[in-house]
Amino acid sequence: MRLTVIGTGYLGAVHAACMAEVGHDVLGVDVDQAKISALAEGRAPFFEPGFPEVLARNLENGRLRFSTSPAEAAAFGDVHFVCVGTPQTPGSHAADLRYVDAAVQGLAPHLRPGALIVGKSTVPVGTAARLASGLDADLAWNPEFLREGFAVEDTLRPDRLVVGVTSPRAEAVLREVYATMLDAGTPWVSTDLATAELVKVAANSFLATKISFINAMAEICEATGADVPTLAEAIGYDARIGRRFLRAGVGFGGGCLPKDIRAFRHRASELGLEESVRFLGEVDAINLRRRSRAVSLARELVGGSFAGTGVAVLGATFKPDSDDIRDSPALAVANAIRAEGARVTVHDPQGVDNARAAFPELDYSPSAQKACEGAHVVLHLTEWAEYRQLDPAAIAEVVAAPALVDGRNALDAAAWRAAGWTVRALGRQ
Ligand code: UGA
């Protein structure tokens, strides 16, 4: 099939390359010339394991091309996937829909007869119906559940496919698009537009709630001498609860969970349903409190004031195996400590360029050990695998004081203590 993918950020670029990988002819379109040039030359504009290989293979075999022209996109595709961002609106919790609106408006006047527009962006419930009402083409909604760091795997082997459609024909077209995944036995959920939109925000709200639940337990553990990783393990053996997404620490960040729960609350209140998801405000508040807790643990370790201290922060991205720093708990903590008078040096295996561009006032170091030189406290805030390989004895020799906050409960606290470190962690002693 001939597919276009409008918006070549994280979601769109991976979707475009993976649709080519399963045999479709794909045109990726974006207004950002630099991004399109990079992709067309086989350079990934972001760090995502496995993506450069899929990109290169499909550029080479000719099934994947890139363009900046909406008219070319409209003329090319039988199916147009809208994969543009829906960021949080500055000064509000609402999702900013201007890119979605512009993408659909850009296509509309040039569409070929019979073309299908398929939204993949995360949108407030009701958006698809609004877009469809002014459109002389069929529109469907097909939310995306890929995780950064596993984006290619999640796209090629999704755990479910959800499509909101208003015609049997739209469903048939989407079944053809995803034939490879359907043949592999992927569950297929076909529903109306509103349900499809809600599935996405409900899934992310549930995940955020699960993380904040365990982080609330961490607060109780801290006050009572209990141990949250053990508690998570023990409740997680109950298959109804499950072990995944129960890692307590500095909480969730990124371009999805925080803004999605806020946009959901905003939409619910527009609908007069504020009470139904009021708990998501609590989920958000618990999450943000964990960042403050990491700061206060570090402050205690430096003797009550950061003024004039050196602080090392290991990790800048919102999670490992990504270079994405959007709403990163690690950088929020780093900035809060710097605001209290410390000299903060940040290390990250992939996120330093993005972090430096956003926060030039922080110091950056090319190696974890160098970042720790002269530090009065080290904070481990993104659980990159390389930090678990660090030698606590070697780091102890370069710091000003061997004090560690493990904000992700991912380091071997016993090994660090054995090397002379004072270790504090979230939700445990
Ligand atoms: C999330 C969802 O997991 C995807 O299913 C969804 O498609 C995506 O948002 C999206 O809406 O596009 P992602 O933002 O890549 O994916 O990251 P997650 O793996 O969900 O992690 C989110 C945050 O939660 C990270 O900061 C991570 O460190 C934190 N987290 C995760 C915890 O603090 N504890 C956990 O147990 C798990």
Side-chain angles (χ1 to χ4, degrees), residues 145-146 148 200 204 245 247 252-253 256 318-319 408:
F145 306 103
L146 66 81
E148 295 188 16
K200 171 66 193 223
N204 275 1
F245 267 64
R247 278 180 288 112
F252 59 80
C256 302
F318 82 104
K319 69 174 194 180
R408 292 289 184 182

Side-chain angles (χ1 to χ4, degrees), residues 220-227 428-429:
I220 309 285
C221 288
E222 279 156 21
T224 56
D227 187 73
R428 62 196 317 194
Q429 299 312 300

Side-chain angles (χ1 to χ4, degrees), residues 8-11 13-14 39 43-48 51-52 323:
T8 57
Y10 221 96
L11 165 59
V14 174
L39 285 163
R43 282 184 287 116
F46 45 78
F47 175 78
E48 178 63 36
F51 174 65
D323 63 357

